[in-house]
């Protein structure tokens, strides 16, 4: 809190640059990402959970708004940068979401889980050479629809830098937008 007031924030956020020394960047090549979970909330079983576009989701007390605990998943999907706008499929009673995997091989995972469960079921994993910035997606009873537009992350630009997540996006206006239709039953992906 004090660091934020003084403008000396050691972590990055969507449009906020980190402020880290060269030594800190050498030992922590990628700045930690802020957990400012103020975009969306959902009921996860008996808990209310705050979401943003980060690897962490936080359960909070709906009366005081105090953070109670970090949501800990028990599956093997690992840490994903999950979307803030996870829709609730009321008919099937599942939360469906998309998470980005940043690494040597980039991918987007579409998954679902029962609100009270902390085990996500992978619907599909889609590999990308260039990782599109996905903010939200469409959901029908049988399909998830992703827009892989040419606004893309450049994760390598985060290495040893103080750049914000917004700073490392590129707009390849000459590249096409792909619409990916994912069959929720089979995981099959059709690209348009």
């Amino acid at each position: 809190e004090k660091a934020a007031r003084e403008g000396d924030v050691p972590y990055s956020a969507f449009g906020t640059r980190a402020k880290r020394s060269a030594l800190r960047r050498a030992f922590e090549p990628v700045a930690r990402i802020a957990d400012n979970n103020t975009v969306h909330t959902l009921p996860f079983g008996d808990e209310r959970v705050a979401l943003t576009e980060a690897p962490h989701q936080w359960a909070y007390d709906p009366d005081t708004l105090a953070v109670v605990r970090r949501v800990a998943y028990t599956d093997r999907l690992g840490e994903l940068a999950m979307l803030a706008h996870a829709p609730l499929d009321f008919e099937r009673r599942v939360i469906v979401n998309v998470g980005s995997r940043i690494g040597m091989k980039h991918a987007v995972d579409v998954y679902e889980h029962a609100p009270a469960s902390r085990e996500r079921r992978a619907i599909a994993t889609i590999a990308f050479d260039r990782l599109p910035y996905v903010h939200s997606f469409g959901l029908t009873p049988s399909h998830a629809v992703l827009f892989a537009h040419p606004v893309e992350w450049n994760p390598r630009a985060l290495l040893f830098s103080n750049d914000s997540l917004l700073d490392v996006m590129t707009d390849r206006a000459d590249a096409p937008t792909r619409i990916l239709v994912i069959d929720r039953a089979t995981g099959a992906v059709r690209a348009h």
Side-chain angles (χ1 to χ4, degrees):
E1 214 175 291
K2 179 183 175 196
R5 281 194 304 272
E6 295 173 3
D8 191 21
V9 182
Y11 50 81
S12 177
F14 189 79
T16 304
R17 292 173 52 89
K19 189 171 183 185
R20 305 178 305 147
S21 68
L23 183 62
R24 184 160 190 171
R25 289 192 310 257
F27 285 101
E28 187 180 70
V30 177
R32 289 173 288 149
I33 296 174
D35 286 334
N36 185 8
N37 292 28
T38 58
V39 178
H40 187 52
T41 66
L42 277 177
F44 274 34
D46 292 336
E47 294 183 308
R48 294 292 299 186
V49 173
L51 309 152
T52 193
E53 294 172 343
H56 309 138
Q57 299 171 331
W58 294 91
Y60 67 92
D61 181 314
D63 295 324
T64 66
L65 303 182
V67 172
V68 176
R69 77 182 124 283
R70 181 177 164 190
V71 174
Y73 289 100
T74 59
D75 54 59
R76 295 179 183 227
L77 288 179
E79 194 165 272
L80 303 170
M82 297 168 281
L83 301 189
H85 301 286
L88 201 50
D89 180 334
F90 289 98
E91 194 171 298
R92 291 189 191 177
R93 297 184 178 171
V94 293
I95 294 168
V96 183
N97 206 352
V98 173
S100 294
R101 229 178 253 288
I102 300 170
M104 294 300 287
K105 295 184 178 197
H106 307 305
V108 169
D109 289 298
V110 181
Y111 66 86
E112 64 183 27
H113 64 88
S117 173
R118 298 302 173 263
E119 185 159 341
R120 299 167 291 187
R121 181 185 76 80
I123 296 170
T125 298
I126 307 160
F128 288 95
D129 290 331
R130 296 172 179 257
L131 189 62
Y133 169 61
V134 179
H135 179 73
S136 61
F137 64 101
L139 188 68
T140 74
S142 57
H143 294 87
V145 182
L146 299 180
F147 294 88
H149 49 76
V151 175
E152 300 166 337
W153 295 104
N154 180 2
R156 287 187 196 103
L158 288 172
L159 287 173
F160 307 106
S161 82
N162 282 330
D163 286 343
S164 73
L165 299 176
L166 187 59
D167 292 331
V168 300
M169 285 188 192
T170 57
D171 182 0
R172 295 187 321 120
D174 59 323
T177 295
R178 291 185 297 154
I179 300 170
L180 305 173
V181 180
I182 300 102
D183 185 306
R184 292 175 60 191
T186 67
V189 179
R190 288 190 330 257
H192 302 276

